[in-house]
Amino acid sequence: MDFTPTEEQSAVQELAARIFGDLSTHERLAAAGAGTDAELWKALCGAGLVAAVEEVGLLGLVLALEEQGRTTAQVPFAASCVYGVLALTAHGTAGQRDRLLPALRDGSAVVTGAFPARGSAVRALGEGELSGVVPVVPWLRDATHVLVPDAEHALWLVRVADARAEPLETTAPWSAGRLTLHRAPAERVGGMEAYEDVLATARTAFAGLQAGVCAGSLARAVQHTTTREQFGRPLSTNQGVLLRAADAYMDTEAIRVTTYEAAWRRDEGLRYGTHALTAAWWASEAGTRVVHAGQHLHGGLGADVEHPVHRHFLWGRQLGAYLGCGAEVLAELGELIVAERASSASSDRVDGVGVSRGARA
């Protein structure tokens, strides 16, 4: 395996770092409140970062999402790229791609996902109609379309205008909402393998976002402990502080490397279902530890809800919940490993994620 970014992927990461660093400041985030930064979203789309995902693949997206996570920038970048651009590129028809991708590239359309479908109450009625309720959908208030899995894990694309979207506040400012469908018109996306593929892609992408959140939290903790003095010496010289920061660093690197592996394998058309779950487990379990450490290493300042590190804490906890608790993810991973070993499927199948990328294309 080789996680070395291509020239194009490195360019995307550098551009994302510059845009997020320039525009997603603490002052702008505080002013945005719980809403999306429309100016930042316009800048990202105008710079071609959303459109570039089609070329740089999931690994390129992960690299860009790390930069978003470092600044906790409030834009639906991960959602629209995963549930829109990558999902339609892999599973959409030629007509769907021609009709929807141009608007997704320039940001005039935003797709979010009603994922994961844990005990989905959404039912497909007849041909192209959905009914049911999804209690929480991140970025729903910004979306023009929602990718909805029904109870049978078939994927459907629904226009938000054809459903009922109610604002919902969560711990993280993700413009979330409650989605109610009552015989809402919907169009099918992909076959029965599409759900597992999109879910694994989403797990990998949001794990990459978590890696950035953790890196940003740790960077703030390092800056604080190296400049704040106690008894005439920096806090960072205390062994307990050093050990806590070192553990957080190793956890962050574990999230990063497992995410890179899953993303690289998808881009190469290799089996990656178990790898996506592994990345999700690290992002959920270790990510929670890291953002707690970042807050604790700030001492009393960490309890200030207006301090920048508190935003990393909220995002880390929210991403951990979105990816699933550790025990839940481990149970699913174990079941998938057992099924993989018991299966005699041909080498061109992906473990629980449908056919290979090469075959999809």
Side-chain angles (χ1 to χ4, degrees), residues 74-100:
Q74 294 171 196
V75 287
F77 188 35
S80 200
C81 287
V82 169
Y83 301 122
V85 176
L86 291 179
L88 290 172
T89 300
H91 302 288
T93 64
Q96 288 172 329
R97 292 194 294 269
D98 291 342
R99 175 164 44 89
L100 295 168

Side-chain angles (χ1 to χ4, degrees), residues 9-358:
Q9 289 170 338
S10 295
V12 164
Q13 184 179 27
E14 291 169 7
L15 180 58
R18 184 163 65 251
I19 294 174
F20 285 126
D22 289 345
L23 295 181
S24 187
T25 62
H26 174 58
E27 293 73 22
R28 286 178 59 88
L29 288 167
T36 294
D37 188 333
E39 183 180 342
L40 175 56
W41 180 239
K42 182 179 180 180
L44 288 172
C45 296
L49 282 176
V50 176
V53 172
E54 296 173 64
E55 300 299 326
V56 300
L58 183 54
L59 181 55
L61 174 60
V62 163
L63 293 172
L65 288 175
E66 278 193 71
E67 303 306 326
Q68 179 186 358
R70 290 178 194 274
T71 60
T72 59
Q74 294 171 196
V75 287
F77 188 35
S80 200
C81 287
V82 169
Y83 301 122
V85 176
L86 291 179
L88 290 172
T89 300
H91 302 288
T93 64
Q96 288 172 329
R97 292 194 294 269
D98 291 342
R99 175 164 44 89
L100 295 168
L101 285 179
L104 289 173
R105 294 178 190 126
D106 65 23
S108 58
V110 173
V111 179
T112 189
F115 278 70
R118 300 187 183 102
S120 175
V122 176
R123 297 289 187 273
L125 307 174
E127 292 295 326
E129 289 186 339
L130 296 181
S131 287
V133 177
V134 184
V136 182
V137 180
W139 305 112
L140 181 62
R141 282 177 275 169
D142 296 324
T144 56
H145 298 76
V146 187
L147 191 63
V148 182
D150 65 21
E152 304 300 324
H153 287 180
L155 290 185
W156 303 86
L157 194 64
V158 179
R159 293 196 317 142
V160 174
D162 294 328
R164 181 182 178 188
E166 304 169 81
L168 184 68
E169 297 301 329
T170 64
T171 54
W174 290 0
S175 297
R178 175 186 174 91
L179 181 68
T180 302
L181 304 165
H182 181 66
R183 304 196 73 91
E187 56 181 312
R188 184 71 180 271
V189 177
M192 292 308 297
E193 82 288 346
Y195 171 78
E196 295 296 339
D197 178 49
V198 174
L199 178 58
T201 301
R203 282 168 166 159
T204 305
F206 282 97
L209 185 59
Q210 181 77 303
V213 170
C214 291
S217 174
L218 183 58
R220 291 189 182 279
V222 169
Q223 194 276 335
H224 174 76
T225 57
T226 54
T227 57
R228 186 69 172 260
E229 292 190 356
Q230 187 178 58
F231 304 119
R233 61 177 187 172
L235 291 171
S236 59
T237 60
N238 294 319
Q239 188 178 40
V241 172
L242 289 171
L243 292 174
R244 191 77 187 274
D247 285 342
Y249 174 79
M250 289 188 290
D251 275 338
T252 301
E253 289 302 297
I255 299 170
R256 179 179 286 118
V257 72
T258 53
T259 302
Y260 285 3
E261 181 178 13
W264 176 81
R265 291 181 67 89
R266 181 192 186 274
D267 291 342
E268 293 296 313
L270 302 172
R271 300 173 183 268
Y272 76 106
T274 54
H275 301 81
L277 278 166
T278 301
W281 181 83
W282 275 104
S284 178
E285 285 286 290
T288 301
R289 289 197 297 266
V290 172
V291 296
H292 274 261
Q295 191 176 46
H296 291 166
L297 288 173
H298 276 77
L301 289 176
D304 183 358
V305 296
E306 296 182 356
H307 193 281
V309 77
H310 187 68
R311 191 175 292 108
H312 290 270
F313 175 78
L314 292 181
W315 275 62
R317 292 303 302 260
Q318 186 79 11
L319 282 166
Y322 188 63
L323 289 165
C325 71
E328 180 182 43
V329 175
L330 277 184
E332 186 176 348
L333 177 59
E335 292 171 359
L336 188 55
I337 291 173
V338 170
E340 178 185 298
R341 290 181 177 178
S343 174
S344 59
S346 58
S347 61
D348 65 344
R349 287 193 59 82
V350 176
D351 53 352
V353 194
V355 296
S356 70
R357 185 169 173 78

